[in-house]
Amino acid sequence: MLAKWLELSPDVLILNEPTRGIDVGAKAEIYRILNGLCREGKCIIMITSEMPELLAMSDRILILSEGKVTGMLTAEEATQEMIVQCAIGG
């Protein structure tokens, strides 16, 4: 599915759980492709519930809780604890 959308050469990609349910090898390949797109200047908005994926792939993290923004962190300041704290409204 991702390859189909990449054929259109979009400047912005919005991906919802892009690696859910796939094996480790395919996941690594998707990460490689997404990192390459970022190096080309493309914008990727990734929605994910996987904390390791979130921390490894993000430049900035926007945390929402009950439809409201509860935090915005840079990759440098983001930790699992900070993300959870923002997510629960603390």
Side-chain angles (χ1 to χ4, degrees):
M1 182 64 98
L2 182 58
K4 177 180 170 181
W5 289 108
L6 292 177
E7 284 293 315
L8 299 173
S9 191
D11 290 327
V12 178
L13 275 173
I14 301 173
L15 304 172
N16 187 11
E17 302 286 355
T19 61
R20 178 178 282 169
I22 63 172
D23 65 66
V24 174
K27 194 177 280 200
E29 180 65 13
I30 288 174
Y31 292 157
R32 186 189 66 71
I33 291 167
L34 295 178
N35 283 325
L37 291 168
C38 287
R39 282 190 297 277
E40 292 174 13
K42 307 292 184 180
C43 175
I44 298 172
I45 299 170
M46 182 186 299
I47 303 159
T48 183
S49 58
E50 293 187 34
M51 188 68 70
E53 180 171 79
L54 181 66
L55 292 169
M57 295 296 294
S58 301
D59 293 324
R60 281 177 278 181
I61 300 169
L62 186 68
I63 302 109
L64 302 171
S65 179
E66 296 183 17
K68 295 186 169 119
V69 175
T70 57
M72 186 164 51
L73 306 169
T74 65
E76 293 78 26
E77 62 192 4
T79 63
Q80 182 171 337
E81 293 78 19
M82 288 289 297
I83 293 167
V84 170
Q85 184 178 16
C86 291
I88 61 174

